């Protein structure tokens, strides 16, 4: 069983590094923190690296201050664990391909094929946190409130609060087990989804003014420019979940959020019932899930990206 091989590899190694993708979300950070805490309890020397800062709404998580923000890695580790993505390039960290002896890849995205010496890609899992939950169990660690808090956050965020179609009965069973460990799930929900900084509130107001509707209101576009981020003193992570305001409009099947960054445009896609946005994102060089996916395009005019994407989406909406 690949899960046992991964656990054995980790428990028989020292000098372990955990990394994940750029623009980290709740699943990425919750999973890496849970794995870090579990391996630390087993006496392992573990470090965590991300390219981007921790989103404000996730700063409450246990051990989050142990995550190191790095543009480049020059050290050598016995094992590198790549979480929540199937591509080293998506970490955005330079020289990462030269800093490990063994590579473990754990992910749940349907577009991931798996890389490294050991890889476990389970697209049936609602979140990478579900997979980490199983690995922590295999390590023989039970009833740890800090680990449970990280895993619950991971699963709660990647299922949109247990509302997305990736949520299964197993997801709810795991969430129930984590709640039984004594976590304050009401506090987690408020911090992750309910509370909003004033800068995000003002950014949201500006973003909603950009709403564009197509195909009798079945396709909705929102845009966030660099100027909007600067004007509202908002950080990149504060764009999280803004796309849902467009998706939740009555009659909308697909929503797209275009975020203008320094040298590229990031496009997030969400669908409500039947459009497979993972397939569409893959055609544009990205990936994700059937109902939540995305891609990036370098040095491209945002109006041209919108034109290309709209043309592609028109063939999918009914």
């Amino acid at each position: 069983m690949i899960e046992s091989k991964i656990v054995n590899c980790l428990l028989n190694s020292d000098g372990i590094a955990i990394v994940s993708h750029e623009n980290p979300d709740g699943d990425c950070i919750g999973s890496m923190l849970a794995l870090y805490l579990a391996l630390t309890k087993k006496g392992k020397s573990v470090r965590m690296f991300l390219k981007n800062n921790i989103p404000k709404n996730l700063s409450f998580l246990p051990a989050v201050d142990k995550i190191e923000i790095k543009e480049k890695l020059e050290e050598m580790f016995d094992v590198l664990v790549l979480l929540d993505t199937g591509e080293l390039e998506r970490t955005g960290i330079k020289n990462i391909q030269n800093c490990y002896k063994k590579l473990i890849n754990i992910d749940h995205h349907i577009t991931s094929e798996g890389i490294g010496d050991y890889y476990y890609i389970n697209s049936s899992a609602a979140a990478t946190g579900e997979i980490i939950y199983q690995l922590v169990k295999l390590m023989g660690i039970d009833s740890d409130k800090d680990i449970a808090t990280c895993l619950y956050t991971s699963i709660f965020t990647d299922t949109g609060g247990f509302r997305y179609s990736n949520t299964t009965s197993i997801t709810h069973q795991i969430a129930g087990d984590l709640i039984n460990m004594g976590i304050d799930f009401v506090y987690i929900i408020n911090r992750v989804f309910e509370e909003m900084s004033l800068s995000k509130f003002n950014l949201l107001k500006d973003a909603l003014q950009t709403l564009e509707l197509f195909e009798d209101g079945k396709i909705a576009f929102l845009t966030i420019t660099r100027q909007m981020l600067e004007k509202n003193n908002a950080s990149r992570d504060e764009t999280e979940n803004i796309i849902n305001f467009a998706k939740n409009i009555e009659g909308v099947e697909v929503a797209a959020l275009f975020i203008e960054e320094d040298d590229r445009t990031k496009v997030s896609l969400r669908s409500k019932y039947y459009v497979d946005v993972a397939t569409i994102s893959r055609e544009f060089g990205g990936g994700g899930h059937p109902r939540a996916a995305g891609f990036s395009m370098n040095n491209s005019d945002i109006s041209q990206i919108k034109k290309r994407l709209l043309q592609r989406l028109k063939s999918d909406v009914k």
Side-chain angles (χ1 to χ4, degrees):
M1 187 166 71
I2 187 62
E3 298 98 307
S4 297
K5 291 180 179 177
I6 288 173
V7 167
N8 287 334
C9 179
L10 291 171
L11 295 184
N12 289 304
S13 300
D14 215 345
I16 300 167
I18 306 172
V19 296
S20 190
H21 53 77
E22 287 183 274
N23 303 317
D25 55 21
D27 189 19
C28 147
I29 293 176
S31 296
M32 71 191 308
L33 288 172
L35 184 59
Y36 167 86
L37 290 167
L39 290 170
T40 301
K41 286 189 76 166
K42 286 292 185 180
K44 297 293 147 185
S45 174
V46 189
R47 293 171 67 184
M48 300 174 285
F49 302 100
L50 286 173
K51 181 184 177 185
N52 303 109
N53 290 326
I54 308 299
K56 293 176 185 175
N57 66 338
L58 300 173
S59 61
F60 70 96
L61 287 171
V64 74
D65 59 323
K66 303 296 183 187
I67 297 177
E68 302 174 49
I69 308 302
K70 294 275 190 181
E71 287 278 343
K72 183 177 183 180
L73 280 181
E74 295 182 332
E75 300 154 80
M76 177 61 72
F77 297 92
D78 292 336
V79 176
L80 181 76
V81 184
L82 176 66
L83 290 180
D84 204 37
T85 176
E87 301 172 58
L88 279 171
E89 295 78 10
R90 284 211 63 214
T91 65
I93 299 174
K94 296 175 183 174
N95 195 47
I96 195 156
Q97 69 277 11
N98 298 315
C99 70
Y100 60 86
K101 296 174 184 174
K102 287 186 179 177
L103 175 63
I104 293 174
N105 182 204
I106 299 168
D107 191 15
H108 75 122
H109 291 97
I110 196 168
T111 48
S112 289
E113 296 180 354
I115 59 172
D117 300 276
Y118 301 103
Y119 57 84
Y120 182 27
I121 311 299
N122 181 1
S123 60
S124 297
T128 296
E130 274 195 20
I131 302 172
I132 300 300
Y133 168 88
Q134 302 293 348
L135 296 179
V136 171
K137 288 280 187 187
L138 280 174
M139 290 181 198
I141 298 173
D142 292 317
S143 303
D144 185 299
K145 189 175 175 180
D146 283 349
I147 293 175
T149 295
C150 295
L151 290 175
Y152 188 88
T153 301
S154 161
I155 295 168
F156 185 80
T157 53
D158 236 35
T159 58
F162 308 108
R163 292 176 300 175
Y164 296 162
S165 59
N166 58 347
T167 306
T168 67
S169 60
I170 294 173
T171 309
H172 285 292
Q173 288 169 12
I174 293 173
D177 189 30
L178 297 173
I179 290 172
N180 287 336
M181 293 181 193
I183 64 171
D184 189 345
F185 67 91
V186 174
Y187 179 77
I188 295 171
I189 293 168
N190 281 330
R191 287 298 305 267
V192 170
F193 275 170
E194 303 298 334
E195 293 182 2
M196 185 186 301
S197 65
L198 182 60
S199 55
K200 176 164 183 174
F201 181 82
N202 289 328
L203 179 66
L204 173 62
K205 283 198 302 181
D206 284 351
L208 294 180
Q209 297 303 313
T210 71
L211 177 67
E212 300 172 271
L213 294 171
F214 308 96
E215 297 298 295
D216 296 324
K218 294 172 185 169
I219 300 171
F221 284 179
L222 289 177
T223 304
I224 294 176
T225 64
R226 283 193 298 271
Q227 289 77 14
M228 287 182 195
L229 290 165
E230 291 167 6
K231 169 192 161 191
N232 295 302
N233 195 29
S235 56
R236 173 63 176 77
D237 62 87
E238 289 178 302
T239 64
E240 190 76 16
N241 294 322
I242 286 179
I243 189 174
N244 291 328
F245 287 87
K247 190 199 77 173
N248 292 341
I249 296 172
E250 184 179 13
V252 168
E253 168 58 26
V254 186
L257 174 64
F258 300 83
I259 303 171
E260 195 177 46
E261 299 182 337
D262 288 340
D263 57 354
R264 63 182 179 174
T265 298
K266 172 79 167 52
V267 183
S268 296
L269 292 171
R270 299 288 185 274
S271 67
K272 201 176 284 178
Y273 299 116
Y274 57 86
V275 172
D276 183 351
V277 292
T279 297
I280 295 169
S281 292
R282 196 182 298 121
E283 293 173 17
F284 285 81
H289 307 290
R291 300 287 171 266
F295 61 89
S296 296
M297 300 194 80
N298 293 328
N299 301 316
S300 296
D301 182 86
I302 197 165
S303 62
Q304 292 301 313
I305 300 174
K306 285 183 177 181
K307 187 176 178 181
R308 283 184 57 194
L309 180 61
L310 180 59
Q311 192 63 35
R312 176 61 183 83
L313 289 173
K314 281 181 177 177
S315 62
D316 283 62
V317 295
K318 300 173 183 174

